[in-house]
Every structure is written in structure tokens, then in C-alpha cells.
Amino acid sequence: VATAFKTPKSSLTYDLQAVHSLRAFVLQGDNNDEYIVQASTDGVTYEPIWIAGPTEVGDGLRTRLGVLPNPAVGRYLKITGRGGDGFY
């Protein structure tokens, strides 16, 4: 799924249709911004589970890989960009 955030307050929420054990993520976003990935089982209460930090290699879109040390549980994933130059 591809999306573009229009404002710094924008976020994207995915419904995985069932509760899953979440272990690893691949996220592509602007190089100098960070992205907060949060999980929820009910779509109301979210907990941060991974922050994809900025990269120092090159400009533009960069891919990040995150492997959680302990699996998280969630049905809903919310991704929010912050920092950097504001081009999420």
C-alpha cells in the first residue's frame, strides 16, 4: 500500500482483519524523517512498537527494516511521520 501524508498530523491506519503476532516491518519513507508504528487490538488504544528512524544515506525514499526483540500483538497498525523536513 502506498500513501502520502498531507500534513504533519496525518497518519495511516491498517486493519489486518485479525489479531496477529507482529515481529518485523519493512517501511519505505522519506530519508530524514522518522515513522512511528503503533499497534492496537481494538482500534482505539494504540501502543508504539517500533520507530523507523531517519537514514543518513542518500535523499528521497529509503527503505527501513525493523525486527522487534519481542513480538507485539495487534490487529490495527497506525503509522505516523514526524521530524525531518516534513515531506513524509
Side-chain angles (χ1 to χ4, degrees):
V1 173
T3 191
F5 296 133
K6 298 295 183 189
T7 71
K9 302 271 185 207
S10 296
S11 65
L12 174 68
T13 303
Y14 292 102
D15 181 353
L16 302 175
Q17 302 296 312
V19 174
H20 293 276
S21 178
L22 307 168
R23 299 171 187 271
F25 301 92
V26 175
L27 182 145
Q28 187 177 58
D30 192 37
N31 66 303
N32 61 358
D33 304 318
E34 64 181 12
Y35 297 87
I36 298 89
V37 178
Q38 300 176 77
S40 172
T41 56
D42 61 8
V44 176
T45 304
Y46 286 85
E47 295 292 328
I49 58 173
W50 180 53
I51 297 176
T55 65
E56 300 298 326
V57 179
D59 294 330
L61 295 177
R62 294 290 169 228
T63 302
R64 291 124 162 126
L65 171 65
V67 179
L68 303 180
N70 298 304
V73 175
R75 172 178 171 168
Y76 302 92
L77 293 178
K78 183 184 288 188
I79 302 170
T80 307
R82 71 177 179 194
D85 58 11
F87 293 107
Y88 307 109

